Amino acid sequence: MAQPKVLLQIAALGTAAAAAHKNGLDWLTEGERARLAKMRAGARRAEFVAGHWLARRLAAHWLRVPPRRVTLDAFADGRPALHLDAAPVPLSLSIAHSSDWLALALGEVAVGVDVELPKRGRDLAALTRMAFSAAQARELRALEEPEREAGFYARWALKEAWVKRSGEGLRPRQARTIQPEPCDEGGAEARSWAFHGGALALALGVPVRLEIHGARLHDGRHWRYAR
Ligand SMILES: CC(C)(COP(=O)(O)OP(=O)(O)OC[C@H]1O[C@@H](n2cnc3c(N)ncnc32)[C@H](O)[C@@H]1OP(=O)(O)O)[C@@H](O)C(=O)NCCC(=O)NCCS
């Protein structure tokens, strides 16, 4: 049987935000406009508008319909939900933003995507203590730089991608129990790539047929989650 299809779209935030604003924002639903009205920070507004615009285009491309027929709202847990002419679309969508980048995943199976880019002043040792189990933290500390920082961002993004796939969100105590482990492609539940000094991660649960658009990714790795 064919593996389920998943699309991963990567885009520069500024370019997507400019395209999203080009002909006004009347394509946003009332619900989206109400959410946007509560956002004060310009950067947050830009990532929300750009992500929702790109999500429509990606879904419209998949469904072979004009983007205006696709709308977005959210499930009660926060995961984005797609509609075609107001009817639910049976595809899973996940949106992530970090710094100047956007990543979206759309799939026939539940998907979760996360991008984590370095920020000045971030205390990786403190974050490791907060969000990693003692064994995971030891594993990271045993690495030399730059592998340690790359390993931190990959695992952090993998944790967030996993909870975005399920919709459960992330609290520090629970973050420690989500333990990504490198594995072979065959048993993989997730993938990660090095991305602008940080990492991009995609949680999938099962092997998929993945199409990547918008960037050439490198240093790809396969992971499963220890339970
Ligand atoms: C869901 C969650 C993981 C999002 O993380 P984030 O880094 O703040 O933001 P991201 O850019 O990755 O993702 C934001 C998008 O996720 C989606 N989202 C929101 N809640 C979600 C949920 N419960 N499940 C899946 N997706 C969700 C939305 O589409 C949102 O974008 P939008 O509001 O513009 O539509 C967040 O709710 C959370 O739990 N953050 C805690 C992070 C943390 O403390 N990490 C500790 C280190 S491991």
Side-chain angles (χ1 to χ4, degrees), residues 35 44 52 77-79 95 97 114 156 160 164 167 170:
R35 285 187 61 199
R44 174 66 186 119
H52 285 229
D77 57 18
R79 283 172 302 138
I95 303 174
H97 351 82
D114 193 50
W156 186 12
E160 292 221 1
K164 290 174 81 175
L170 201 57

Side-chain angles (χ1 to χ4, degrees), residues 27-220:
W27 49 272
L28 288 170
T29 62
E30 258 178 52
E32 288 173 309
R33 272 180 232 170
R35 285 187 61 199
L36 184 62
K38 289 185 193 147
M39 294 172 191
R40 292 281 157 254
R44 174 66 186 119
R45 293 172 64 85
E47 65 187 25
F48 177 81
V49 169
H52 285 229
W53 177 82
L54 202 55
R56 279 169 168 77
R57 298 195 70 84
L58 197 61
H61 171 75
W62 181 307
L63 299 166
R64 296 168 191 263
V65 299
R68 278 190 176 266
R69 288 182 56 194
V70 179
T71 51
L72 232 73
D73 62 12
F75 293 108
D77 57 18
R79 283 172 302 138
L82 285 166
H83 298 269
L84 173 63
D85 299 334
V89 171
L91 294 173
S92 166
L93 169 69
S94 184
I95 303 174
H97 351 82
S98 184
S99 183
D100 296 333
W101 293 95
L102 267 182
L104 279 82
L106 185 65
E108 291 172 330
V109 287
V111 290
V113 70
D114 193 50
V115 198
E116 293 295 338
L117 297 193
K119 272 192 200 143
R120 198 175 317 148
R122 185 178 266 165
D123 184 346
L124 297 194
L127 284 171
T128 301
R129 283 194 296 277
M130 180 188 81
F132 289 70
S133 69
Q136 289 175 298
R138 264 199 307 278
E139 207 181 292
L140 277 177
R141 279 196 296 268
L143 299 173
E144 301 286 337
E145 293 295 5
E147 283 77 19
R148 187 189 298 171
E149 186 165 338
F152 169 86
Y153 278 108
R155 286 165 178 78
W156 186 12
L158 283 157
K159 284 170 187 271
E160 292 221 1
W162 190 247
V163 297
K164 290 174 81 175
R165 176 178 177 272
S166 66
E168 67 199 277
L170 201 57
R171 292 171 306 281
R173 182 175 295 181
Q174 170 227 16
R176 286 183 216 127
T177 68
I178 302 168
Q179 307 197 44
E181 292 179 340
C183 71
D184 294 334
E185 185 172 359
E189 296 176 295
R191 296 183 63 175
S192 76
W193 298 267
F195 193 70
H196 295 273
L200 192 158
L202 189 56
L204 301 155
V206 292
V208 303
R209 194 159 37 96
L210 180 62
E211 272 181 38
I212 302 173
H213 299 277
R216 192 163 292 168
L217 297 177
H218 57 95
D219 197 18

